[in-house]
Amino acid sequence: MRKLRIAIIELVTKGTTRTLYSSVMHANLAGIMPQIVAVWCEEEGHDVTFVCCTHRENLTAEIPTDVDLVFISSFTQAAQLAYALSNLFRSRGAVTALGGPHARCYPQDAQQYFDYVLGFTDKAVICDLLLDCSPHRPVGLYLTADRQPATLPGVRRRWKFIAQTLRKAPLLKIVPMIGSLGCPYNCNFCIDSEVPYQPLGLDIIKEDLRFLRGKFRRPGVGWHDPNFGVRFNVFMDAIEEAVPPGSVKFIAESSLSILSEPHLKRLKRNGFMGILPGIESWYDLGKKSKTGQLKGIDKVRQVSEHVNMILRYLPYVHTNFIQGLDVDQGPEPFELTKRFVDTTPGTFLAFSLLTAFGQAAPLNLELQRAGRVLPFPFHFLNNHHAMNVKPKHYSWLEFYDRLIDLTKHSFSWPAIFNRFKANRGMISRSMNLLRAVSSEGFGRIKYHTEMRRRLETDRQVRRYFDQETTELPQFFVDQVRKDLGPLWEWLPQGALYHDQNAYLALEEGHLSTPAAIVSDSDSWAAARVAAP
Ligand code: B12
Ligand code: SF4
C-alpha cells in the first residue's frame, strides 16, 4: 500500500468563537475516536497531521496543502463547517471521510459531500478505507462495522494526540477515557437506546491510569462512557487496583440509579469530582433516575434529596433536563424545575431542547411520521440553538416564554449566589460562575429572548416555525455565514438544507445509497461488497 499523507480534523465547535468559556473548555470537549483513528493510520505506516479544531486555529495553514486523505470528525452542529472543509480539501485533490455523531445520524446527507461516511468504526473499517482511498462522487460510500468495536487503543497509544490537544487547554486539562460502549437502558430519544452495553478491557484502563500518573501530578480524567458505572464494582475495583485513592480526579456521566450512597462513598474516596446525571423529565424515564412510578412534585422531592446527597460527597454536579417532551404540558413541568433549582441550589442545570438527530433514535421515526420534525439547518442542532421538534402541547410562543422564564430563574443573581454558597472548592464555584455568566447562562437567555422576539416580529421566522414554508429565514442564513467566516465561500450549494424525514424515507424503502458493511470476518475491501 502506498504511504498516504493523512489529515485528521476534529471539530469541537461550529464556528469562530472567542468566549471565555470556549478558551478554557473547548479543548476539553475533544473526543476519543479522532485520536484513535490517528493511531490506527500511523500503525498502518501513514503520515498523520492531527488538529483538534477549537476554532481559533487557521486550519488551512495548519494542514499541509498536499494531503491525500482528510478525516473530519463532526457533531451535527458542525456539519456545515465540515461540508465546507470537505469541499475545500477536495478542490485541492484530497479524498475526504466523515466520522462522528453527524455521520451516524445523517449518513445519506453527508454522502453528498464526502467520499466516505463512517458509522460504527473499528480498525478493519479504517484499514479497508485506507486500501481503497479513492474519490466516490457524486455520492460517497457509507462504511460501517456491524457493531461497536470490541476494543479501543488506550491513553498510552493516543498520548501524542492527547498532549497536542491539551496544550490548547490553559487551565483545566481533562484526558478523555472510556470504559464501556452502549447502554443497558432504552431511553427512546437516545442514540444508544438500541446499542447493547459492552464493557471494554480493564487491563488497558489500569495501564492508562498508571501511565497518566507519570505525566501529571494529579491527572484529570473525563469518562466518555454513555453511562458510567453500569458494572460499578468491577470498574471501581480496577481503578483501586491501578492507582492510590484520590490520586486521579474523575468526571463522568452517570444515571441517578447508579449513584446510590454506598457508590457515592466509593466514588468520593477514589477522586471523583464531577458527575453529570440526566434527570430529563418529571413525568417520564423513572427507571433511569431510580424514581420508578413517582411523577411531578413527588419526583422533584426525591430527586432533589438525591442530588443534595450527591453534593455532600462530590463537589460538582451537572443535571440534564430535556425541554419539550410530549409528556409535558402547561406551566407545571417548568415550575417544577424552578422548584428544583430552589431546593437543590448546588447543582448546575442544563436545559436541552428536544432534538430529533436524524436516524439516531427510535423516537425520531415516530416524530417524522407525525410530520413534527422541522428542517432547521444542522448548524443549529446542538440542543440549544433550535428545537427541531414541534412541541405537542405548547405553541411556540408559550414554549419560549416558559423556557426563558425557567432559564432566567436558574441564572438569576440570587440563584447564582446560592449556587456559589452551596458549592465547595474554588474549581466548582468558579466553573459554575463562568458557565452562568458566559454563553451557557446569560448567553442562552439572550439567544432564546431574541428567538422569541423574532417569532412575534419576523414573518419569515414565524412561517418557518409553523411549517408553512421550508425557505430558510435570512436570520438563520446570516448566523451560519458569520460563524463560518471565510469558509462560507466553500459551503456547497444546497448544503444549508437537508431532508428532515430521510430516516423515515429509508425505513420505508424510498432511499437507497451505496453502502458497505464491514466486519472483522468480512473485509469489504477484499470482497468489494456494495449492499444497501
Ligand atoms: C461523551 C459524550 C460527550 C462528551 C465528549 C464529546 C466528544 N467530543 O466525543 C462531551 C461531554 C464533551 C459532549 C459534548 C457534547 N455533546 Co455529547 N455525547 C457524548 C456521549 C454520551 C458518548 C459519545 C461517545 O464518545 N461514545 C463512544 C464512541 C467510541 O462511540 P460513538 O460516539 O458511537 O462513535 C462511534 C462512531 O460514531 C465512530 N466515530 C466517532 N467519532 C469518529 C471520528 C472519526 C474521524 C471516525 C472516522 C469515526 C468516528 O466510531 C465510534 C466507534 O464505532 C453521546 C451519547 C451516546 N450515548 O453516545 C453524546 C452525544 C454524542 N452528544 C451529543 C451532543 C448534542 C453534544 C453537545 C452538542 C451538547 C451541547 N450542547 O453542548 C456537545 C458537543 C461537543 C463537541 N465536541 O462538539 C449528541 C450528538 C448528536 C449529534 N448528531 O450531533 C449525542 C449523540 C447525545 C444525544 N443528544 O443523543 N458529549
Ligand atoms: S441512560 Fe443515558 S445513555 Fe443510556 S439509553 Fe438512557 S439516555 Fe442513553
Side-chain angles (χ1 to χ4, degrees):
M1 199 196 321
R2 80 188 158 104
K3 186 172 180 142
L4 299 169
R5 290 171 301 254
I6 299 176
I8 297 175
I9 301 173
E10 172 172 23
L11 302 175
V12 293
T13 177
K14 61 178 178 170
T16 348
T17 166
R18 304 233 166 251
T19 62
L20 183 58
Y21 179 76
S22 68
S23 55
V24 175
M25 282 309 288
H26 271 178
N28 288 310
L29 306 185
I32 286 178
M33 280 309 291
Q35 300 164 3
I36 288 176
V37 175
V39 169
W40 285 336
C41 289
E42 282 198 343
E43 282 173 358
E44 291 304 297
H46 303 291
D47 277 341
V48 173
T49 304
F50 181 88
V51 182
C52 173
C53 180
T54 56
H55 227 62
R56 283 159 176 259
E57 39 287 275
N58 179 356
L59 268 184
T60 41
E62 285 194 36
I63 308 288
T65 45
D66 58 351
V67 281
D68 302 301
L69 171 64
V70 180
F71 282 98
I72 297 182
S73 172
S74 171
F75 279 61
T76 291
Q77 63 166 344
Q80 265 87 23
L81 182 58
Y83 291 178
L85 282 169
S86 175
N87 195 17
L88 169 65
F89 286 111
R90 277 172 155 196
S91 79
R92 292 178 176 178
V95 166
T96 60
L98 180 77
H102 185 64
R104 265 186 72 187
C105 297
Y106 296 96
Q108 297 82 16
D109 194 80
Q111 278 172 284
Q112 300 172 75
Y113 308 106
F114 283 82
D115 296 298
Y116 300 93
V117 175
L118 280 75
F120 288 148
T121 305
D122 56 16
K123 193 168 179 184
V125 170
I126 295 295
C127 288
D128 282 347
L129 189 159
L130 295 174
L131 261 181
D132 182 63
C133 190
S134 55
H136 292 273
R137 298 169 197 171
V139 181
L141 199 58
Y142 178 61
L143 297 181
T144 183
D146 53 6
R147 63 184 81 100
Q148 286 285 30
T151 170
L152 293 170
V155 171
R156 194 181 47 75
R157 282 162 72 194
R158 290 187 277 124
W159 180 247
K160 175 174 154 187
F161 306 108
I162 295 174
Q164 187 188 325
T165 303
L166 288 184
R167 278 199 284 276
K168 296 182 181 178
L171 298 173
L172 203 59
K173 292 186 192 291
I174 306 170
V175 176
M177 283 184 68
I178 190 156
S180 63
L181 293 162
C183 179
Y185 294 103
N186 313 96
C187 312
N188 66 352
F189 59 84
C190 172
I191 196 164
D192 267 342
S193 61
E194 289 176 344
V195 181
Y197 175 76
Q198 168 202 323
L200 293 165
L202 294 174
D203 287 342
I204 298 182
I205 289 166
K206 288 191 252 180
E207 184 198 333
D208 283 347
L209 291 175
R210 291 188 194 113
F211 170 84
L212 276 177
R213 287 198 65 228
K215 294 288 174 194
F216 296 100
R217 198 176 57 80
R218 197 178 169 210
V221 166
W223 292 106
H224 282 202
D225 304 45
N227 193 355
F228 176 85
V230 170
R231 289 171 73 218
F232 188 82
N233 289 327
V234 176
F235 222 81
M236 296 310 286
D237 287 349
I239 293 178
E240 285 167 6
E241 213 184 299
V243 288
S247 60
V248 180
K249 292 173 282 183
F250 295 107
I251 304 172
E253 242 173 274
S254 196
S255 47
L256 283 180
S257 55
I258 291 170
L259 301 170
S260 63
E261 192 155 12
H263 285 182
L264 286 165
K265 285 184 181 156
R266 208 164 169 196
L267 290 171
K268 178 182 171 161
R269 197 167 60 241
N270 284 295
F272 278 71
M273 309 298 284
I275 206 91
L276 291 78
I279 296 166
E280 326 299 10
S281 160
W282 299 120
Y283 297 95
D284 204 355
L285 303 163
K287 201 167 156 204
K288 189 181 167 188
S289 51
K290 212 181 175 183
T291 47
Q293 297 304 314
L294 282 187
K295 288 194 187 347
I297 186 69
D298 296 329
K299 183 166 174 185
V300 176
R301 284 199 193 103
Q302 179 160 327
V303 172
S304 179
E305 244 172 63
H306 193 160
V307 174
N308 282 329
M309 191 248 296
I310 300 175
L311 278 159
R312 287 199 289 279
Y313 290 97
L314 312 181
Y316 198 84
V317 181
H318 160 128
T319 45
N320 279 312
F321 295 84
I322 301 178
Q323 305 303 313
L325 286 166
D326 284 4
V327 282
D328 290 347
Q329 47 185 316
E332 206 178 324
F334 295 89
E335 293 303 318
L336 290 174
T337 312
K338 281 161 73 177
R339 178 81 172 262
F340 180 78
V341 173
D342 300 340
T343 55
T344 329
T347 181
F348 184 92
L349 286 84
F351 308 121
S352 294
L353 305 181
L354 176 64
T355 308
F357 284 110
Q359 60 192 59
L363 175 69
N364 301 356
L365 208 52
E366 273 173 50
L367 294 168
Q368 292 183 13
R369 204 166 273 131
R372 288 177 53 201
V373 180
L374 279 78
F376 281 108
F378 297 133
H379 192 75
F380 299 91
L381 301 189
N382 62 357
N383 295 134
H384 300 297
H385 289 145
M387 170 153 149
N388 73 346
V389 179
K390 190 169 191 259
K392 190 163 182 186
H393 298 296
Y394 298 95
S395 70
W396 284 114
L397 284 182
E398 184 190 357
F399 179 77
Y400 269 95
D401 279 341
R402 299 203 182 285
L403 176 69
I404 293 164
D405 177 55
L406 170 62
T407 316
K408 279 185 173 165
H409 186 86
S410 182
F411 298 106
S412 62
W413 282 112
I416 293 172
F417 179 67
N418 288 341
R419 204 167 289 133
F420 192 86
K421 250 185 5 189
N423 288 151
R424 285 172 290 128
M426 263 336 278
I427 295 186
S428 302
R429 287 181 155 174
S430 44
M431 183 56 85
N432 276 338
L433 188 62
L434 175 69
R435 295 181 78 179
V437 301
S438 188
S439 49
E440 286 189 272
F442 291 0
R444 226 143 269 168
I445 295 170
K446 196 168 156 215
Y447 186 88
H448 295 326
T449 306
E450 174 60 11
M451 198 69 105
R452 163 72 173 79
R453 191 186 70 76
R454 295 233 166 222
L455 272 166
E456 216 163 33
T457 58
D458 185 332
R459 207 175 125 66
Q460 267 190 323
V461 169
R462 188 54 195 253
R463 291 187 66 234
Y464 190 79
F465 270 79
D466 286 342
Q467 295 176 292
E468 287 168 12
T469 177
T470 51
E471 195 187 325
L472 193 60
Q474 197 55 38
F475 169 64
F476 294 112
V477 179
D478 290 345
Q479 284 186 66
V480 184
R481 180 184 289 136
K482 180 168 159 273
D483 288 345
L484 259 55
L487 283 167
W488 169 258
E489 301 301 329
W490 288 97
L491 187 68
Q493 203 166 12
L496 275 182
Y497 289 84
H498 69 276
D499 175 2
Q500 78 274 26
N501 296 320
Y503 184 21
L504 184 62
L506 187 74
E507 288 293 302
E508 291 180 347
H510 306 312
L511 257 189
S512 70
T513 43
I517 311 291
V518 185
S519 68
D520 286 341
S521 55
D522 161 29
S523 167
W524 158 77
R528 283 286 189 278
V529 183

